[in-house]
Amino acid sequence: MTSDIPFTPPKCIGIIGLGLIGGTLAKTIRRIHPGIQILACDPEEESLAKALKEQVISKGTPEVTEEFSQCRYIFLCAPVQKNESYLKQLAPFLNDGCILSDTGSVKSSIHHDVCSLGLSHWFIGGHPMAGSEKSGYENATPYLFENAYFLITCDDISPELAAEYQSFIASLGCIPFLMTPKKHDFSTAAVSHLPHILASGLVNLVKELDDDRETMKSIAAGGFKDITRIASSSPVMWQEICGTNREQILLLLEYFLRSLEQIKGEIASGNQTRILEFFQKAKDYRDSLPIKKAGPLPSIYEIYCDLIDEAGGIATIATILATNGINIKNIGIIHNREFQEGVLRIEFYENHDMEQAILQLRRHHYIVHEREEKKA
């Protein structure tokens, strides 16, 4: 759902917390609305100094000050459990010309805190469905939110302010999506929180079952690495999410445990029909996902290329790409070919670079295999 109200950029926006999400928000605003003054607060003065040097923010402060009363929008981008403290600090400076928001991945708790402090008529919850397994301002980019869903939750705020907020979010290249706080927390527990727990659980299980030679670690291939990629995210952040969205996460874990018990029973009984149905239903639903939409993690642009075992093989491919102005992000030999045919993995920064690499390498008669999701 989007608003048809034209967006007029405000004079000033405040950002509390200049990490990955706060930094991305600041960089996105600076790219799209360069005339907006951005006031940032973060206890890490190194992040503030870097943002000032890059001219991403207009002013930085380690503490909340009265200057935030000049902001039309104030975004809480600090860790979820720290936002209640910032709410109390901001309360004296809120006025009728202010919309208070956040970017946290849990909504019921922040709405509860806002209501208990009597701030609900200023507050709109926000959650950009984009992120990275990396954290900190240094990993923020001005394009991370582009075409990503931006979930919006609101209770007591006026329809006019809610429509204005949606227009602002849409102006940043995001897709506004309205829902209740409870629906948000259940939905994100299913598609974000539970997958992170499962990925970390699988990694820990393999680590515990591995032998002294680390055989499993050595042969871990595409399937294992893809499904566990998100286990590299910030442990502190996920500790806090499990604390603030505990009820919904426990509910989803219970549902998942039932599902595991069911497929365990089918495998034990040798019910081939039910086992096939299990995998077929999952494949059909997974294949129906809009994989071109931005998700909680950025896209991977990579290819796999068959390589003759001879001296200079990698150098030849690198030269072909460099000659055509194609930037390589990462390159390496894959020793295990599970779920992929090629032996040389090449990763790129942009989809355009990947497509050009495929074209040029095939012109030189190399066999190139794309990730399935990049064909959609």
Side-chain angles (χ1 to χ4, degrees):
M1 178 178 178
T2 58
S3 171
D4 296 326
I5 298 178
F7 173 70
T8 302
K11 293 181 179 179
C12 184
I13 286 177
I15 297 177
I16 309 292
L18 207 60
L20 174 71
I21 299 301
T24 292
L25 180 61
K27 290 181 178 182
T28 303
I29 293 171
R30 179 61 67 234
R31 175 175 64 87
I32 297 175
H33 304 296
I36 293 178
Q37 298 292 303
I38 301 176
L39 175 62
C41 171
D42 195 294
E44 297 291 335
E45 297 195 35
E46 184 177 341
S47 297
L48 295 175
K50 188 171 184 179
L52 284 168
K53 183 178 180 180
E54 295 174 347
Q55 298 184 329
V56 170
I57 63 174
S58 309
K59 187 173 182 179
T61 171
E63 299 177 347
V64 173
T65 68
E66 190 175 356
E67 289 179 278
F68 280 91
S69 63
Q70 303 170 16
C71 299
R72 177 57 172 171
Y73 301 103
I74 300 176
F75 286 89
L76 295 166
C77 303
V80 173
Q81 292 182 337
K82 293 183 179 179
N83 281 336
E84 182 179 6
S85 173
Y86 281 119
L87 283 172
K88 294 176 181 178
Q89 296 175 52
L90 285 166
F93 308 130
L94 300 179
N95 53 62
D96 292 339
C98 178
I99 295 175
L100 180 62
S101 187
D102 78 322
T103 58
S105 62
V106 181
K107 284 287 160 278
S108 296
S109 58
I110 188 73
H111 276 274
H112 177 270
D113 294 339
V114 163
C115 289
S116 66
L117 293 170
L119 307 177
S120 57
H121 57 290
W122 282 299
F123 185 77
I124 301 176
H127 178 200
M129 293 296 288
S132 171
E133 67 272 28
K134 298 180 180 179
S135 60
Y137 175 81
E138 63 274 13
N139 293 302
T141 77
Y143 292 95
L144 187 60
F145 293 168
E146 194 167 49
N147 295 321
Y149 281 113
F150 199 103
L151 309 184
I152 297 174
T153 58
C154 52
D155 289 326
D156 298 337
I157 202 161
S158 71
E160 293 77 16
L161 289 180
E164 179 192 326
Y165 180 86
Q166 288 181 69
S167 295
F168 171 63
I169 295 303
S171 79
L172 300 181
C174 301
I175 305 170
F177 195 101
L178 271 67
M179 57 178 60
T180 65
K182 186 174 182 179
K183 181 68 173 179
H184 169 279
D185 289 354
F186 181 76
S187 299
T188 55
V191 302
S192 178
H193 305 168
L194 181 62
H196 277 82
I197 293 170
L198 300 183
S200 297
L202 180 56
V203 171
N204 288 336
L205 177 63
V206 169
K207 181 179 184 296
E208 291 168 7
L209 296 180
D210 210 351
D211 56 30
D212 293 339
R213 297 178 60 191
E214 295 190 326
T215 300
M216 294 182 186
K217 183 178 181 180
S218 299
I219 67 172
F224 181 80
K225 290 180 179 178
D226 283 348
I227 199 173
T228 61
R229 179 183 171 215
I230 53 179
S232 293
S233 300
S234 167
V236 174
M237 178 181 72
W238 286 102
Q239 176 197 37
E240 293 178 346
I241 287 173
C242 286
T244 51
N245 201 28
R246 178 171 50 194
E247 180 181 345
Q248 301 300 336
I249 289 174
L250 288 174
L251 179 59
L252 263 298
L253 279 171
E254 183 62 34
Y255 287 147
F256 188 76
L257 289 172
R258 291 180 196 171
S259 176
L260 283 182
E261 284 295 331
Q262 184 174 354
I263 188 59
K264 177 184 176 183
E266 306 297 0
I267 294 173
S269 65
N271 191 327
Q272 297 302 309
T273 300
R274 291 292 181 87
I275 294 172
L276 177 62
E277 287 177 357
F278 173 82
F279 288 108
Q280 189 64 53
K281 284 170 59 178
K283 181 185 186 309
D284 292 344
Y285 187 77
R286 177 63 177 82
D287 289 348
S288 73
L289 297 181
I291 58 179
K292 283 194 173 183
K293 286 274 190 276
L297 293 177
S299 297
I300 296 177
Y301 305 110
E302 63 183 24
I303 59 175
Y304 299 91
C305 181
D306 281 349
L307 184 67
I308 299 174
D309 187 10
E310 62 182 12
I314 297 178
T316 301
I317 289 177
T319 299
I320 292 171
L321 299 181
T323 302
N324 289 278
I326 300 170
N327 292 324
I328 298 175
K329 182 178 182 181
N330 201 356
I331 187 169
I333 295 175
I334 302 297
H335 296 287
N336 187 307
R337 299 189 181 193
E338 180 191 8
F339 303 126
Q340 58 210 26
E341 298 294 335
V343 67
L344 186 69
R345 174 185 176 273
I346 311 172
E347 185 178 355
F348 307 89
Y349 289 98
E350 303 290 343
N351 183 61
H352 174 74
D353 287 337
M354 182 186 73
E355 292 176 348
Q356 288 300 308
I358 294 170
L359 178 64
Q360 295 301 328
L361 290 173
R362 286 177 176 167
R363 281 179 178 174
H364 286 79
H365 308 295
Y366 284 95
I367 299 175
V368 181
H369 311 273
E370 307 170 57
R371 281 177 65 96
E372 183 178 352
E373 294 195 1
K374 300 309 171 194
K375 297 178 182 177

